[in-house]
Amino acid sequence: MFTLHHFQNLRVAQAFSDYLTSIQIQNEIQHDEFTYLIIIKLDTDQMQAEEELALFLQNPNETKYLSASWETGSPSKQHSQLAYVNSNIFSNFIARGGLVSHSIFIACIIIYALTSLGFVEPMHSPFAFFTSLPFDYSQSWRFVTPAFLHFSALHITFNLLWWWELAGTVEKHHGKLRLVLLFLFTAITSNLAQFYVVGPYFGGLSGVVYGLVGYCWLSGKLNKQGNVLLPNAYFIFLLGWLVLGFVNILPVNVANYAHLVGLLAGLFLAFISPKLHTKG
């Protein structure tokens, strides 16, 4: 037996495993401390398995992979997988990220709890952006801290789900310093854009989330064998959400310019990342 690939996401690993099974490549999924391993039996042509992996990583949402999961799945198998995932929610949360991604996740929850319970008024708190020019640089943290403010359960849930999905992957594979740089750069640029174009009354992690989206998507395109990536389907969905915000048909207020500039900032960092030495 040999290890073909390490996946961060169980759902992605299972989709590829099911496809291999459908084309008569015997395999199994094993779980180590941080990842899900696709293990291939010895009697399998290793070159064929590696070719199939390369094709899968290019487009994991292709119809044939989705179909394979339906064809090879069984109720008992799905039930056991669901039980496994539910029983390991906390351990998966810990394994998914690291110190930086967990700290920002928890900080957002704590600050949301404080504002929801009335202990802090968001727009008059130390976390809010500057209300006027010129900026008071003795309070420079305000360039970043609006990212921790959220105004509804839906708002924080959407942002933290994407943060949990993407930030931990960046931290595990590109390092803590890279994630810190990505967080600070996308938070500052997206907050400044929203302030100058619209005004000072905004908040949320979504500018940073869009930065992660751009960074992960382009990183996957530039390094197809890497572990930091975002499938095209997710990228297109989030681009569509961005466009809907600009045409003003969403039922909620959206910081459109923070999203747009955050996305551009993440793409920029992914493009120059081979020249950066921030892993650690």
Side-chain angles (χ1 to χ4, degrees):
M1 302 176 73
F2 66 91
T3 300
L4 178 63
H5 192 67
H6 294 248
F7 287 94
Q8 290 289 318
N9 190 302
L10 175 59
R11 290 171 295 173
V12 177
Q14 189 63 60
F16 184 54
S17 173
D18 290 339
Y19 175 72
L20 291 179
T21 300
S22 73
I23 59 173
Q24 309 306 313
I25 296 180
Q26 297 185 9
N27 69 93
E28 62 183 48
I29 298 177
Q30 295 183 6
H31 182 245
D32 65 11
E33 186 179 2
F34 299 120
T35 59
Y36 301 95
L37 291 66
I38 296 290
I39 308 295
I40 305 297
K41 302 296 177 65
L42 275 175
D43 58 355
T44 298
D45 184 342
Q46 181 172 352
M47 183 174 294
Q48 180 190 1
E50 290 175 345
E51 289 174 352
E52 293 294 346
L53 173 65
L55 291 172
F56 177 79
L57 292 176
Q58 288 178 13
N59 187 8
N61 293 295
E62 191 172 341
T63 303
K64 64 181 181 180
Y65 303 124
L66 301 176
S67 299
S69 293
W70 284 103
E71 293 169 2
T72 61
S74 66
S76 59
K77 179 181 177 182
Q78 294 168 2
H79 177 76
S80 63
Q81 289 170 358
L82 182 61
Y84 172 79
V85 172
N86 288 338
S87 66
N88 287 275
I89 289 176
F90 182 74
S91 61
N92 286 341
F93 171 76
I94 297 299
R96 182 74 178 180
L99 177 63
V100 177
S101 53
H102 291 152
S103 297
I104 292 173
F105 189 101
I106 293 169
C108 286
I109 292 175
I110 292 173
I111 292 172
Y112 177 68
L114 291 174
T115 57
S116 297
L117 294 173
F119 292 107
V120 177
E121 172 58 38
M123 292 297 93
H124 298 93
S125 73
F127 306 108
F129 202 79
F130 302 97
T131 56
S132 62
L133 293 170
F135 296 134
D136 179 359
Y137 289 100
S138 68
Q139 299 183 32
S140 293
W141 67 81
R142 292 182 183 271
F143 288 111
V144 176
T145 51
F148 295 104
L149 292 173
H150 292 88
F151 308 113
S152 71
L154 178 62
H155 188 203
I156 191 171
T157 300
F158 180 86
N159 283 342
L160 289 187
L161 282 174
W162 281 107
W163 172 262
W164 177 80
E165 183 71 22
L166 300 176
T169 300
V170 172
E171 184 170 5
K172 288 293 183 185
H173 297 287
H174 289 180
K176 292 179 174 58
L177 293 179
R178 180 69 57 83
L179 181 58
V180 169
L181 173 62
L182 184 58
F183 173 75
L184 292 176
F185 183 64
T186 57
I188 292 170
T189 54
S190 62
N191 288 341
L192 283 170
Q194 189 68 22
F195 171 79
Y196 278 114
V197 178
V198 179
Y201 302 110
F202 61 88
L205 196 62
S206 50
V208 175
V209 164
Y210 267 93
L212 282 167
V213 167
Y215 181 87
C216 293
W217 179 79
L218 187 55
S219 292
K221 297 300 179 185
L222 297 176
N223 181 11
K224 295 185 182 300
Q225 301 303 316
N227 291 300
V228 175
L229 54 86
L230 183 70
N232 287 335
Y234 290 164
F235 186 68
I236 293 171
F237 166 76
L238 288 164
L239 282 184
W241 189 262
L242 179 63
V243 172
L244 290 176
F246 273 102
V247 298
N248 200 30
I249 63 174
L250 294 176
V252 293
N253 292 324
V254 179
N256 297 310
Y257 293 96
H259 294 178
L260 176 61
V261 172
L263 176 66
L264 295 175
L267 291 169
F268 173 75
L269 281 180
F271 182 74
I272 68 168
S273 64
K275 302 176 182 178
L276 298 177
H277 302 284
T278 56
K279 186 170 184 178

